[in-house]
Amino acid sequence: MLRPYIPVLILLAVSVANAIFMVVLSTVLSPGKATKNKSAPYESGMVPLGGTRERFSVKFYVVAILFIVFDVETVFLLPWAVSARALGWHGFATAMIFVFILTVGLVYEWKKGALEWD
C-alpha cells in the first residue's frame, strides 16, 4: 500500500539528513566566534547608512507586486505554450482573455504612474 511512496520518503529522509549535516558541518568548521566586525551588516563594502527600521516608499511595494503578477503570468503561460496545439482554439482564446486582463491591469498601473520613479 505504501510501496509507491518509498522513493519519496527516501528522498525526504536524504534531504533532511543533508540539511542537518550541512548545519553541523558549518558549526564544526566555522573559524572562531562571532565578533563585532563579523556580525556587522555588509553592504558592498560600504558603511551602512541609517537604521534597519527605515520606511520605504510605497512605490517599491507596488513594483514588487507588479513583478509578482507578471511572474505568475509567465508561470501560467509557459505550460499553455507547451500544450497550445493540444488545447486548440478554445485554449488559445482562454489564454488571450487572460493576457488581455493582465494587459488592462498593466495599462491602468501605467496611467496611474505606478511605474514612474520621481
Side-chain angles (χ1 to χ4, degrees), residues 9-74:
L9 294 175
I10 291 172
L11 180 64
L12 180 67
V14 169
S15 299
V16 169
N18 185 33
I20 292 171
F21 174 73
M22 293 293 206
V23 169
V24 169
L25 187 67
S26 68
T27 304
V28 170
L29 297 179
S30 65
K33 298 185 180 194
T35 63
K36 183 179 179 183
N37 287 336
K38 287 182 185 178
S39 299
Y42 179 76
E43 297 182 9
S44 303
M46 304 292 291
V47 177
L49 301 174
T52 57
R53 302 287 181 200
E54 192 172 314
R55 291 182 181 254
F56 288 101
S57 173
V58 174
K59 290 189 179 199
F60 289 110
Y61 299 110
V62 171
V63 170
I65 289 171
L66 287 173
F67 175 76
I68 290 171
V69 165
F70 290 103
D71 198 39
V72 168
E73 174 188 15
T74 304

